[in-house]
Amino acid sequence: MVALMKISVMDTSASPAFAVETIGLTKRYPLSWKRKIVLALDHLDLQIRPGEVFGLLGPNGSGKSTTLKLLLGLAIPSEGEARIFGLPPDSLEARARVGFLPENPYFYAFLTGDETLRFYGKLCGVTGAKLEKRIEELIDLVGLQNGRERPLRSYSKGMLQRIGLAQALIHDPDLLFLDEPTAGVDPLGSSQIRDLILRLKKMGKTVVFSSHLLEQVQEVADRVAIFSLGKKALEGSLEAMLVENQSTQINLPAELSAEQQERVRQLLVQAGVGAAEIRFTRPHLSLEQLYLRTIQKAPDANPPTHPRP
Amino acid sequence: MISSLKRIIAIGRNTLTEAVRQRVLSVLLIFGLVMVACSVFFSKLLIDEQIKFVKDFGCGAIGLFGFAIALLSTAQLIPQELHNRTIYTILAKPVRRVEFLLGKFLGVVLLLSLSVMLMSIAFAGALYWQEWQGIDSTQIGYDQRTPHWQSSPDMVNMYQRDILEIENQVRDPQLIEAILLIFAKLVMTSGIALLISTFATSSIFTIVTTFMIYLIGHMETVARQVWLGRGAETTLYQSGFLGILSLLIPDMNSFTIVDEILAGNRVPWAHTFNLLGYAGVYLIVLLALSEISFRYREL
């Protein structure tokens, strides 16, 4: 595995194997007034395949946002290199295939939702009827029908994140970078964004996102990398990393009585399982699941409106 | 090339829309009203003096308000984009950094064009109002001095000469030269602010530094004279320093030729074109330096 990571010649053919590939990617920020250098990212080797949903995890200042900036060509690497579909990240060809949602975006507060998407569409060379059609599709996709004619300064945090996602998707990119897409969004909005990521995955998009909400990452990511102090501390598929190989869980749609539990226990003992290792528990909902069930059961999710007197 | 131009125009239009919706232009509206009102307040002056006053005040106000708009709007172009993180969303799209920079600058130039145009319309309105007032008061003067003066051909000739003089003063085509020169100076100021903002970490730094350069630019003629050995005695170091200064800092003082126009002196179009050409060349240098500075900036 290590030997593979150290390959120094990157594949730049028309259909590269990786949507994102970095080799020894390093970023140092000099603090000239203190005569010090901050190592924001230390020799990152990363390979993300097309169609994957990849989570970047780690505490603040661990190098997640720096990684995204380097992958977008917004920062210049001090060492190493990165490739997007085999292309340099700062090339127009690479950017044409990438969409980006920054952390806590504000956008242009004076533009309406439609105007915002029109502006970003023009930057990507999408114009005319094609652009208008794309705006309709995206407004539907992110559920912003009520924000089309409103200036962004009147948007809630969740609405801003959704218009941010729409602008990132305006040119139908193959790869999406989402920096804390659910930061500051309420649980319902957050779960909608999570569902959107899953829809994007079904559409064949590659999604790379950073988040502090571990449970959400677990629900959508195929693989994750955990960062600590500018270094990748762990990387792998959630399936492989989270499974406890030494135990088996059986889920039943009904509660077992004490007598039924005893009969199941005897059967398992007969099958060779040690009696002391068998435990019967009732599964718990997460607080988020309880919250979402309650909100979604509410008769009307929209805020109440009253006629003007 | 065309797609690049389209992106620059899209960013420029967006910058202009932002400025307009931030109500910068309402300040200009107030300016227009103040300018028209001032003609009323100074109506006790002689008609020649009134017209001269409106010209001086109008051009001065266009220069001053334009300077404020150029400086403030350019100084916040990049810091605001960084603060709102909108720069990341733009540069993550297939947009070159130079296109972003030129687009933002285009937006400011469009804003300045619109502002100078609106202020010029208000200026022209004030001048025509003065013309109408002048013709009216001239006629009243003739009526009071000589009843039935219209029957005297000499008096009619004299009256027509007076009216023609007022019209010539008001409808002076040289005022177009003056406004073009003011506009060129504003765009140069904006170019300086843009260059500084590409490496500055705050708007305040950009505003203060640009203002200092603007002031030094007005004193540059003295520096150049000293450098070329036509001024007071200087050491080699002083002469070298002043030489570098006069090459680096634009000569803003040349644009005070506007005062000559306002004083009623003829300034040939060739001279105006020379100055506009100087501003154009300087602007290209400023934009090229801005591009180099911004290309390697960490965002």
Side-chain angles (χ1 to χ4, degrees), chain B residues 29 36 40 46 50 54 59 83 88 100 112 115 140 144 147 150-151 183 186 195 217 250 282 290:
Chain B
L29 186 65
V36 174
V40 182
L46 291 172
Q50 280 177 44
V54 172
C59 285
H83 179 259
Y88 300 135
F100 172 79
L112 285 175
S115 309
I140 291 168
Q144 283 173 350
Q150 286 94 336
S151 51
F183 178 71
L186 294 178
L195 172 59
Y282 210 91
S290 304

Side-chain angles (χ1 to χ4, degrees), chain B residues 18-79:
Chain B
E18 181 180 23
V20 171
R21 293 192 187 170
Q22 279 179 343
R23 294 173 191 157
V24 173
L25 289 182
S26 59
V27 176
L28 299 176
L29 186 65
I30 293 166
F31 157 77
L33 292 171
V34 168
M35 202 165 75
V36 174
C38 78
S39 310
V40 182
F41 294 140
F42 290 88
S43 60
K44 297 286 187 288
L45 299 171
L46 291 172
I47 186 66
D48 288 5
E49 290 169 340
Q50 280 177 44
I51 292 171
K52 174 79 170 58
F53 175 81
V54 172
K55 279 185 184 177
D56 284 347
F57 187 81
C59 285
I62 292 172
L64 187 71
F65 279 77
F67 178 72
I69 291 167
L71 193 55
L72 298 177
S73 58
T74 316
Q76 63 168 349
L77 280 183
I78 295 174

Side-chain angles (χ1 to χ4, degrees), chain B:
Chain B
M1 182 67 187
I2 290 171
S3 56
S4 179
L5 206 61
K6 280 183 181 170
R7 291 193 287 267
I8 292 172
I9 292 169
I11 296 170
R13 280 184 59 181
N14 190 53
T15 308
L16 176 68
T17 312
E18 181 180 23
V20 171
R21 293 192 187 170
Q22 279 179 343
R23 294 173 191 157
V24 173
L25 289 182
S26 59
V27 176
L28 299 176
L29 186 65
I30 293 166
F31 157 77
L33 292 171
V34 168
M35 202 165 75
V36 174
C38 78
S39 310
V40 182
F41 294 140
F42 290 88
S43 60
K44 297 286 187 288
L45 299 171
L46 291 172
I47 186 66
D48 288 5
E49 290 169 340
Q50 280 177 44
I51 292 171
K52 174 79 170 58
F53 175 81
V54 172
K55 279 185 184 177
D56 284 347
F57 187 81
C59 285
I62 292 172
L64 187 71
F65 279 77
F67 178 72
I69 291 167
L71 193 55
L72 298 177
S73 58
T74 316
Q76 63 168 349
L77 280 183
I78 295 174
Q80 196 171 314
E81 287 276 345
L82 282 168
H83 179 259
N84 291 348
R85 298 192 180 93
T86 38
I87 193 166
Y88 300 135
T89 56
I90 291 181
L91 292 181
K93 298 267 187 274
V95 175
R96 294 183 184 91
R97 285 194 180 197
V98 65
E99 291 167 355
F100 172 79
L101 205 62
L102 290 177
K104 295 306 278 181
F105 187 67
L106 173 70
V108 172
V109 173
L110 289 174
L111 174 68
L112 285 175
S113 311
L114 190 66
S115 309
V116 170
M117 198 175 74
L118 284 179
M119 287 192 280
S120 300
I121 290 168
F123 179 38
L127 275 174
Y128 277 105
W129 194 77
Q130 279 299 341
E131 180 187 310
W132 175 74
Q133 284 272 299
I135 292 170
D136 202 38
S137 62
T138 305
Q139 191 167 359
I140 291 168
Y142 272 79
D143 288 344
Q144 283 173 350
R145 269 184 282 148
T146 326
H148 311 297
W149 58 272
Q150 286 94 336
S151 51
S152 156
D154 286 349
M155 291 295 280
V156 169
N157 277 342
M158 204 191 298
Y159 170 78
Q160 282 173 341
R161 268 205 310 278
D162 286 350
I163 297 298
L164 195 64
E165 195 167 327
I166 292 172
E167 284 180 354
N168 284 342
Q169 274 186 315
V170 168
R171 301 175 193 190
D172 183 3
Q174 286 222 118
L175 286 176
I176 296 170
E177 281 182 75
I179 288 169
L180 276 176
L181 289 170
I182 292 170
F183 178 71
K185 195 174 164 184
L186 294 178
V187 174
M188 273 175 82
T189 308
S190 197
I192 296 167
L194 182 78
L195 172 59
I196 295 164
S197 71
T198 55
F199 55 83
T201 47
S202 74
S203 304
I204 296 292
F205 177 82
T206 305
I207 289 169
V208 171
T209 314
T210 308
F211 191 66
M212 296 307 289
I213 291 174
Y214 183 83
L215 286 183
I216 296 168
H218 277 94
M219 293 181 277
E220 205 210 286
T221 317
V222 182
R224 200 184 314 119
Q225 279 173 358
V226 173
W227 176 45
L228 296 173
R230 290 200 293 268
E233 280 185 25
T234 50
T235 64
L236 191 65
Y237 292 117
Q238 285 170 330
S239 174
F241 172 73
L242 292 171
I244 292 167
L245 205 66
S246 58
L247 284 175
L248 286 180
I249 306 225
D251 182 8
M252 294 292 190
N253 203 44
S254 304
F255 293 87
T256 48
I257 196 82
V258 170
D259 295 341
E260 294 294 318
I261 293 172
L262 296 177
N265 298 324
R266 284 282 129 215
V267 172
W269 271 100
H271 187 74
T272 303
F273 283 130
N274 273 342
L275 278 174
L276 294 178
Y278 171 76
V281 169
Y282 210 91
L283 201 60
I284 290 168
V285 173
L286 285 170
L287 290 176
L289 291 174
S290 304
E291 196 278 321
I292 293 166
S293 165
F294 191 60
R295 193 190 306 166
Y296 300 108
R297 179 164 178 171
E298 294 282 352
L299 299 173

Side-chain angles (χ1 to χ4, degrees), chain A residues 56-266:
Chain A
L56 302 175
L57 301 175
N60 293 332
S62 59
K64 305 187 300 289
S65 292
T66 303
T67 304
L68 290 181
K69 279 185 182 178
L70 289 165
L71 292 175
L72 287 157
L74 296 172
I76 303 155
S78 310
E79 218 178 292
E81 63 178 318
R83 294 266 164 179
I84 302 295
F85 295 109
L87 299 160
D90 58 350
S91 67
L92 292 192
E93 293 80 6
R95 286 189 198 166
R97 299 185 68 180
V98 166
F100 175 51
L101 170 69
E103 187 182 355
N104 293 326
Y106 287 93
F107 299 109
Y108 296 102
F110 55 89
L111 292 183
T112 64
D114 274 12
E115 286 172 337
T116 300
L117 296 183
R118 222 166 270 138
F119 169 62
Y120 284 105
K122 281 178 186 166
L123 292 184
C124 300
V126 188
T127 51
K130 195 179 167 191
L131 176 59
E132 296 307 317
K133 186 169 171 274
R134 186 73 188 143
I135 291 172
E136 293 289 336
E137 288 169 2
L138 288 172
I139 291 287
D140 273 353
L141 185 74
V142 299
L144 258 184
Q145 285 82 357
N146 62 342
R148 297 187 68 160
E149 301 301 324
R150 280 166 56 185
L152 265 56
R153 63 172 166 266
S154 67
Y155 272 30
S156 67
K157 195 108 179 173
M159 289 171 84
L160 277 176
Q161 291 293 92
R162 278 185 275 164
I163 197 77
L165 273 167
Q167 69 77 27
L169 288 163
I170 191 80
H171 53 309
D172 196 18
D174 301 312
L175 169 63
L176 276 158
F177 290 118
L178 313 176
D179 197 358
E180 301 285 352
T182 53
V185 180
D186 65 53
L188 182 61
S190 173
S191 93
Q192 286 167 343
I193 290 172
R194 181 184 55 203
D195 293 345
L196 193 61
I197 293 175
L198 289 172
R199 281 173 73 182
L200 292 169
K201 179 181 163 62
K202 277 185 189 161
M203 289 158 74
K205 310 284 183 197
T206 312
V207 182
V208 179
F209 72 106
S210 68
S211 180
H212 291 298
L213 302 175
L214 303 183
E215 193 177 343
Q216 287 199 345
V217 176
Q218 191 180 342
E219 285 174 16
V220 292
D222 298 316
R223 288 197 302 138
V224 297
I226 301 175
F227 287 73
S228 176
L229 299 170
K231 279 196 164 199
K232 186 180 73 179
L234 188 68
E235 183 196 345
S237 81
L238 286 170
E239 187 71 25
M241 290 195 296
L242 297 180
V243 166
E244 285 190 60
N245 291 323
Q246 302 303 314
S247 69
T248 302
Q249 186 178 335
I250 303 167
N251 287 329
L252 300 171
E255 193 179 344
L256 292 185
S257 65
E259 189 189 337
Q260 286 171 319
Q261 283 185 17
E262 192 46 44
R263 283 170 63 189
V264 171
R265 190 187 302 275
Q266 281 171 9

